Amino acid sequence: GIEAEQDRKRRLKRHDAATIIVVGSGLAGMSAAIAAADARAKVILLEKEPKTGGNSAKATSGINGWGTDTQAEQGVADEERLFERDTFRSGKDARADYCLVRTLSSKSADAIHWLKHRHGIPLTVLSQLGGHSSKRTHRAPPVDGRPVPIGWKITKTLKDTIDANYADSIEVRCGVTVTKLLHTVDEKGVKTVVGVEVNGKGKLYADSVVLATGGFGCSQSSDGLMARFRPDLLSTPTTNGAFATGDGVVLGEEIGAELVDMEQVQLHPTGFIDPADPSNPTKYLAPEAIRGSGGILVNSEGGRFVNELDLRSVVAGAIQKHCSKYKSEDGYEGPAFAWCVLGQQAQELFGPSTLSFYKEKLGLFTDCEDAKAVAALIGCDESVLLHTLREYQEAAQLGTCKQTHKDVFPSLLTPDSTGLVVARVTPSTHYTMGGLNINPSGEVQERIESIVGSHRHIRGLFAAGEVTGGVHGSNRLGGNSLLECVVFGRIAGERAATV
């Protein structure tokens, strides 16, 4: 439920004002900073990059939530058990921590309410992403016909809120790198974080520290986290910014924090290959909404090979198994890739203005008049592609595809479809599920040997967002990353301010 504001204010008045350091200024960091300031703390928000936002600003799929007023207004029935079931199924192997998933689920409607009604972000568009049993992924509607990138919208709004309303309680410092966690150890071995070292020399002291530094999806050095835990992915393209090197994970590990699920790295199935620069290791993300609008995937022979709306891990694995490697005329040979084909209905559902950004501005889509032109672009036998499209049309009419078990067909695509657009997509390192072990209060854990338990939280150290592990198991459900940032960012910020 949502705590009444008067009850919340009464509760927070019981605590002395604290000084909090938040490391990282993506959505988790800004959510933590605002929550801590609302709990009467003085907050220093540190960011190593020249500007705030991090990878959160690049997110496009949306933010999940069940039981929201947006769902109610649109007549969408959803339940806690369905959200949690979908999250666990996506996580596979029972890796996701039950308590963390329950917290994520039970706080999801409150997170949407906080963004929508406290900060005025119009989360009024719903979509059903792969792996979901209901429409629960929230985005903002286009403005003047132009798409609104939801991650950018949320992070910009929160930063504007901090600048306008929190000048006296939140100090933002960019271009500052945290190089060490300052901590003490008592006679019983209990650790307490008391501040941070910055830029290798200066020291800042605080009552608590919140790590919100993101994941390690672009940790490509020979001694980095990817090399330690998933060396097989070092040459894989990435959708992450160059700053995503797992700094907070390293900081926590240095003082004994436990790491969990570090080998679990998610490949997003569709990173755009730029035909003008195919060897660039950093890819623009081809949003889930492209396939959610009815885009289909075919290989270089012109055949479908997967349910396009299956889990990210399933779609990525299918591309790697059934598709050829990318080869360009200049001799470059890249990873396995698929062709993504959108008919006119899918283009309308995806949004003409959004499509125009990717097609006209970035040059990532190619226009094809009909199936014959698509076959010529792909280099496959036209009859094979026509057979594929005919089978897809028949499956859509039946409501199920016997080959891929697809049973949701957002739009029509037939052998006679015209005005098609086609893109090249490849699996790319997108999200790291592993990181610091936290409990539902956002407290960072260390492993101990004790007759009363195997874990103990490190006092004064909290974490939220992709820097943590345990929430997503082996594979993150689309739309849960922004939700995780808001839910655990707010929890960690308030908890850090009131211990």
Side-chain angles (χ1 to χ4, degrees), residues 30 33-35 37 41-45 162 166-172:
M30 285 195 275
I34 292 173
K42 291 287 186 180
V43 181
I44 302 173
L45 181 60
I162 290 172
Y166 291 88
D168 295 333
S169 54
I170 300 177
E171 178 187 358
V172 180

Side-chain angles (χ1 to χ4, degrees), residues 71-116:
Q71 285 183 316
E73 291 163 2
Q74 298 183 26
V76 175
D78 202 3
E79 300 178 40
E80 182 174 40
R81 66 181 181 87
L82 297 178
F83 178 89
E84 293 177 10
R85 182 197 66 183
D86 293 345
T87 299
F88 279 117
R89 281 183 174 176
S90 178
K92 300 183 298 183
D93 305 327
R95 284 181 176 271
D97 183 281
Y98 175 80
C99 294
L100 296 180
V101 173
R102 172 52 64 93
T103 301
L104 183 76
S105 171
S106 64
K107 298 290 185 181
S108 65
D110 188 29
I112 299 295
H113 186 275
W114 186 71
L115 293 172
K116 188 175 178 180

Side-chain angles (χ1 to χ4, degrees), residues 430-492:
H430 181 57
Y431 195 89
T432 50
M433 276 73 68
L436 301 172
N437 186 10
I438 60 169
N439 63 19
S441 295
E443 298 167 318
V444 176
Q445 306 291 292
E446 65 173 334
R447 179 169 285 279
I448 61 171
E449 297 297 331
S450 169
I451 60 173
V452 295
S454 59
H455 290 88
R456 173 174 63 199
H457 67 265
I458 299 174
R459 294 180 179 179
L461 183 61
F462 302 81
E466 197 176 352
V467 71
T468 68
V471 180
H472 307 293
S474 301
N475 182 62
R476 178 177 62 79
L477 188 65
N480 271 356
S481 59
L482 293 182
L483 176 63
E484 172 193 25
C485 289
V486 177
V487 168
F488 288 102
R490 293 177 69 202
I491 289 173

Side-chain angles (χ1 to χ4, degrees), residues 215-389:
F216 57 95
C218 203
S219 174
Q220 298 176 327
S221 63
S222 59
D223 58 349
L225 293 172
M226 195 68 75
R228 285 176 57 190
F229 295 100
R230 287 300 302 272
D232 57 304
L233 296 179
L234 278 175
S235 60
T236 302
T238 181
T239 63
N240 288 260
F243 46 77
T245 52
D247 299 358
V249 176
V250 174
L251 291 170
E253 186 184 28
E254 286 177 345
I255 67 168
E258 183 181 28
L259 307 184
V260 294
D261 295 339
M262 289 297 290
E263 73 283 4
Q264 303 303 323
V265 177
Q266 182 180 73
L267 297 182
H268 195 288
T270 54
F272 280 118
I273 295 177
D274 183 350
D277 188 17
S279 62
N280 191 327
T282 301
K283 307 298 186 187
Y284 278 96
L285 180 67
E288 214 104 30
I290 290 178
R291 287 173 287 123
S293 300
I296 68 167
L297 299 176
V298 299
N299 56 27
S300 296
E301 287 74 46
R304 284 183 66 244
F305 52 88
V306 71
N307 172 4
E308 290 84 0
L309 299 182
D310 211 325
L311 295 173
R312 290 175 173 179
S313 57
V314 174
V315 179
I319 292 175
Q320 293 173 324
K321 180 178 180 180
H322 297 285
C323 296
S324 304
K325 290 188 175 182
Y326 186 92
K327 296 180 180 180
S328 60
E329 294 179 356
D330 62 2
Y332 167 73
E333 181 173 312
F337 79 107
W339 299 87
C340 184
V341 184
L342 280 74
Q344 291 189 37
Q345 286 187 7
Q347 295 170 48
E348 285 296 323
L349 287 174
F350 182 57
S353 55
T354 307
L355 179 63
S356 177
F357 171 77
Y358 291 107
K359 183 162 71 80
E360 308 298 342
K361 186 172 182 179
L362 301 180
L364 299 173
F365 278 96
T366 301
D367 286 312
C368 290
E369 177 57 32
D370 51 21
K372 180 178 181 180
V374 174
L377 176 67
I378 293 176
C380 70
D381 190 317
E382 181 184 349
S383 64
V384 174
L385 181 61
L386 289 173
H387 178 71
T388 296
L389 295 178

